[in-house]
Amino acid sequence: MSEEKYVIDTSLFVNPYARKKFGKTPTTAVKSFIKKVSKSEIDIYMPPLVFKELNNFVEKDAIDELELVIRKRAPNTYSIYLPAAVLYDFIEDIRARMNKGMRLAEQFAQDNRPDNDEKLRKLREKYREAMRSGIIDSKEDFELVLLAKELDATLVSADEGVLKFADQVGCEWLPAERFHDLIKKKS
Amino acid sequence: MSEEKYVIDTSLFVNPYARKKFGKTPTTAVKSFIKKVSKSEIDIYMPPLVFKELNNFVEKDAIDELELVIRKRAPNTYSIYLPAAVLYDFIEDIRARMNKGMRLAEQFAQDNRPDNDEKLRKLREKYREAMRSGIIDSKEDFELVLLAKELDATLVSADEGVLKFADQVGCEWLPAERFHDLIKKKS
């Protein structure tokens, strides 16, 4: 089994639990990742949008080095077809979340105590949790799964929403925190 | 041109502008629709979920008669495939709406005046507008478009979000307010 393909998510370096075996910070994790991957025969891909996102968390010298080790490629979203049922489920899910967001907004609008800063912090936290956790909520998430599908690659992520979507479209995946052990085995 | 197929939305009877030439109320519009369609050679379809929704607006005797004139059928969402780009655009759109909903919630949470009922009414109105207008936001909307696509039929709706989605998947449509004239021409 050589020439295996993997599509990696930023969560591999950004999520502290996922990067634990690679390094303490996103930057040290990327540097250790580069060393280990260079010795193996596997191909690592990242969608350009996801690579760009990683720039916000990792120092420039590590990013520059990473760019030469991985392959950047976007999925062709115009040539890939998905079962309509996937969008159907998504619409259902979004509708429930919108209703939940509405109830949260009502609840906070009714609370007329003057502690506004604390109130707003709580509102944001609860709203984000209700709207975005466990669902693909960005172009980046979507591109990860679509690229893995297009390449018939294994997706490596610690994002619950991304992995759930991967299952819906029949895409192979590995939890990000297992990737260190995988490379070790392959080297 | 006989044996034409049309998939109709509840908006044909529920939207006052769309039903204008059929009747003043949803029930009278449905009754007049039945008379006119019975004389023509066209096939009218409704997804069962959409037909059920119409029950909330139209009296039982008219609904019972309508059920014998139209064909009820759900699209097979497992056999229809959509370009991934459709879901990609949808995720982008939803993300922008969620952010807008968040800003609305913040704005109303910061307003500590005690007129709660009026405040909540306004919040609901604005939130609904931000979240749901111009987008498919229900299983019913989705089934309309998918059924029309599956049958290669023309979709008849006055819903902006439904018609936009029809365009995205290449589905023929007619604005609901033109349907009266169309039947007249075909009879």
Side-chain angles (χ1 to χ4, degrees):
Chain A
M1 294 226 295
S2 67
E3 271 213 73
E4 283 183 43
K5 295 174 186 170
Y6 294 88
V7 174
I8 61 168
D9 186 8
T10 54
S11 59
L12 178 60
F13 307 116
V14 174
N15 181 307
Y17 177 66
R19 73 165 175 255
K20 207 174 50 181
K21 291 189 176 170
F22 283 112
K24 278 198 175 167
T25 68
T27 299
T28 56
V30 165
K31 284 183 178 170
S32 142
F33 171 87
I34 292 166
K35 260 191 213 145
K36 292 197 166 59
V37 153
S38 304
K39 282 184 253 161
S40 80
E41 288 208 1
I42 62 182
D43 282 340
I44 312 278
Y45 290 82
M46 285 183 97
L49 279 180
V50 176
F51 183 75
K52 202 177 159 197
E53 200 185 10
L54 192 62
N55 274 265
N56 303 324
F57 304 100
V58 174
E59 286 162 30
K60 197 176 174 313
D61 61 326
I63 281 285
D64 285 348
E65 222 184 313
L66 183 67
E67 191 166 19
L68 302 181
V69 172
I70 59 132
R71 293 158 167 236
K72 291 205 310 292
R73 173 166 162 172
N76 183 347
T77 56
Y78 293 93
S79 74
I80 304 173
Y81 281 71
L82 300 174
V86 172
L87 182 52
Y88 193 97
D89 291 347
F90 193 73
I91 290 168
E92 275 275 277
D93 187 330
I94 289 293
R95 194 188 170 97
R97 284 168 194 263
M98 283 180 171
N99 289 340
K100 214 169 166 184
M102 178 70 218
R103 284 195 298 274
L104 268 173
E106 283 174 355
Q107 183 190 318
F108 278 85
Q110 280 173 304
D111 174 1
N112 284 342
R113 281 170 300 174
D115 52 321
N116 261 321
D117 279 358
E118 174 62 6
K119 196 167 129 182
L120 285 183
R121 197 192 55 73
K122 264 193 200 152
L123 169 62
R124 283 191 201 106
E125 187 189 305
K126 286 193 175 182
Y127 189 86
R128 187 159 299 135
E129 170 68 22
M131 289 310 221
R132 295 174 53 178
S133 85
I135 197 174
I136 43 163
D137 70 334
S138 68
K139 289 187 295 186
E140 288 78 6
D141 288 358
F142 191 71
E143 291 207 343
L144 280 166
V145 178
L146 270 278
L147 181 62
K149 195 176 160 64
E150 185 181 304
L151 296 171
D152 204 12
T154 302
L155 179 65
V156 178
S157 175
D159 186 299
E160 194 196 330
V162 167
L163 299 180
K164 189 177 144 197
F165 181 51
D167 276 342
Q168 281 190 302
V169 302
C171 176
E172 221 173 304
W173 58 268
L174 187 77
E177 77 269 15
R178 299 304 319 276
F179 198 56
H180 185 275
D181 291 348
L182 182 101
I183 302 180
K184 216 168 142 188
K185 206 177 145 194
K186 301 269 176 203
S187 306
Chain B
M1 292 228 295
S2 68
E3 271 215 70
E4 284 183 41
K5 293 173 185 170
Y6 295 87
V7 174
I8 61 169
D9 186 9
T10 54
S11 58
L12 178 61
F13 307 116
V14 175
N15 181 308
Y17 178 66
R19 74 165 175 254
K20 207 173 49 181
K21 291 190 178 172
F22 283 112
K24 279 197 171 168
T25 69
T27 299
T28 57
V30 165
K31 285 184 176 170
S32 143
F33 171 87
I34 292 166
K35 262 191 211 145
K36 291 197 167 60
V37 152
S38 305
K39 282 184 252 161
S40 78
E41 289 210 358
I42 63 183
D43 281 342
I44 312 279
Y45 290 84
M46 287 182 96
L49 280 179
V50 175
F51 183 76
K52 200 178 160 195
E53 199 185 12
L54 192 62
N55 275 265
N56 302 323
F57 304 99
V58 173
E59 287 162 30
K60 197 177 176 308
D61 61 327
I63 281 286
D64 284 348
E65 223 184 312
L66 183 67
E67 192 167 18
L68 302 181
V69 173
I70 58 133
R71 292 159 167 235
K72 290 204 311 290
R73 175 166 161 171
N76 183 345
T77 57
Y78 293 92
S79 73
I80 304 173
Y81 281 71
L82 300 174
V86 171
L87 182 52
Y88 193 97
D89 291 348
F90 192 73
I91 290 168
E92 274 275 276
D93 187 330
I94 289 293
R95 195 188 170 97
R97 284 169 194 263
M98 282 181 171
N99 290 340
K100 216 169 164 183
M102 178 70 218
R103 285 193 301 274
L104 269 173
E106 283 173 357
Q107 184 191 317
F108 279 84
Q110 280 172 304
D111 174 1
N112 284 341
R113 282 171 300 175
D115 52 325
N116 261 321
D117 278 358
E118 174 62 6
K119 197 167 128 183
L120 285 182
R121 198 192 55 74
K122 265 193 200 153
L123 169 61
R124 284 191 200 107
E125 188 189 307
K126 287 193 175 184
Y127 188 87
R128 188 159 297 137
E129 170 68 22
M131 289 309 221
R132 295 175 51 180
S133 85
I135 197 174
I136 41 162
D137 71 334
S138 68
K139 291 186 294 185
E140 288 79 5
D141 288 0
F142 191 71
E143 291 208 343
L144 280 166
V145 178
L146 270 278
L147 181 62
K149 196 176 160 65
E150 185 181 303
L151 296 172
D152 204 12
T154 302
L155 180 64
V156 178
S157 175
D159 185 301
E160 196 194 330
V162 167
L163 298 181
K164 189 176 144 199
F165 181 52
D167 277 342
Q168 282 189 303
V169 302
C171 176
E172 222 173 304
W173 57 268
L174 187 77
E177 78 270 16
R178 299 303 320 276
F179 197 57
H180 185 276
D181 291 347
L182 181 101
I183 302 180
K184 218 170 141 186
K185 207 179 145 193
K186 302 267 175 204
S187 306

